[in-house]
Amino acid sequence: MMPKHCFLGFLISVFLTGVAGTQPAHESLKPQRVQFQSRNFHNILQWKPGRSLTGNSSVYFVQYKIYGQRQWKNKEDCWGTQELFCDLTSETSDIQEPYYGRVRAASAGSYSEWSMTPRFTPWWETKIDPPVMNITQVNGSLLVILHAPNLPYRYQKEKNISIEDYYELVYRVFIINNSLEKEQKVYEGVHRMVEIEALIPHSSYCVVAEIYQPMLDRRSQRSEERCVEIP
């Protein structure tokens, strides 16, 4: 039979082990993977729920600031939101400035600690969409007109601003001969109007394009293929 003092020690050991394996409520509520996602300077703060959260039982509070500032600012539209994202495009519109965002969660009267993003500078980190193409057949040739991606509405209200106002952009155009299953780069340069000549009559071609940013050594995804039949 186990002595009383040994049995008591066993119970204390089990109790302490159980406590050590339980996380504080605020820590398990803490939002995960808090980061900015940016396309064409449309800057969205995104996060994942804390480990203990499921469903829509929690609300979130969002703040932001410029690097170097001491005071955080509340994002009123995302103060008590149930969404897992917050649009901070207007608050991060100075694209050369570095920013931080942070999020905390609340559920059943408990609040988490703040989860903060890495430093985010829109000019360095925004991803550019592929160009939009218009294609017209002209005497057996193809005239390709390229359009840079649109900026968020907040920029358009001020003046007619293009993504080209912020970066040197190089356009690349590729043509695919469907009969030969062969792809060829037919243009690389800064002009947005490209004429593709010397096409084989009665053949099918597809055209795709992408944007390259020399300063950042970065390219966009390719546009959707536009296919035509040459008479």
Side-chain angles (χ1 to χ4, degrees), residues 55-91:
N56 295 323
S57 61
S58 58
V59 294
Y60 299 93
F61 303 89
V62 174
Q63 293 183 331
Y64 63 94
K65 70 174 183 176
I66 296 177
Y67 171 73
Q69 292 181 343
R70 298 183 64 183
Q71 189 70 31
W72 288 88
K73 297 179 181 179
N74 298 340
K75 173 60 175 175
E76 298 299 335
D77 294 345
C78 304
W79 199 255
T81 182
Q82 289 186 303
E83 304 290 350
L84 297 176
F85 64 89
C86 180
D87 190 336
L88 291 177
T89 299
S90 295
E91 290 74 16

Side-chain angles (χ1 to χ4, degrees), residues 93-160:
S93 60
D94 189 339
I95 64 171
Q96 299 284 0
E97 288 282 2
Y99 297 92
Y100 289 104
R102 68 179 187 178
V103 185
R104 73 185 304 191
S107 180
S110 295
Y111 287 82
S112 75
E113 299 292 335
W114 290 98
S115 291
M116 191 171 69
T117 66
R119 188 186 304 181
F120 167 71
T121 305
W123 190 87
W124 283 103
E125 299 180 54
T126 199
K127 295 180 180 179
I128 295 180
D129 284 336
V132 177
M133 291 190 305
N134 292 327
I135 298 178
T136 305
Q137 292 193 45
V138 181
N139 298 325
S141 299
L142 295 179
L143 184 63
V144 180
I145 300 176
L146 304 164
H147 301 277
N150 292 326
L151 292 179
Y153 179 64
R154 179 241 177 261
Y155 293 82
Q156 301 296 341
K157 287 194 298 185
E158 296 182 353
K159 62 178 182 177
N160 187 21

Side-chain angles (χ1 to χ4, degrees), residues 29-47:
L29 289 176
K30 190 174 181 180
Q32 307 293 306
R33 297 171 61 184
V34 181
Q35 59 188 340
F36 280 95
Q37 295 290 335
S38 178
R39 300 192 72 84
N40 308 320
F41 300 130
H42 192 189
N43 306 324
I44 307 296
L45 185 66
Q46 297 181 342
W47 59 90

Side-chain angles (χ1 to χ4, degrees), residues 5-16:
H5 68 275
C6 294
F7 181 68
L8 180 60
F10 172 76
L11 289 179
I12 293 174
S13 175
V14 170
F15 175 77
L16 291 177

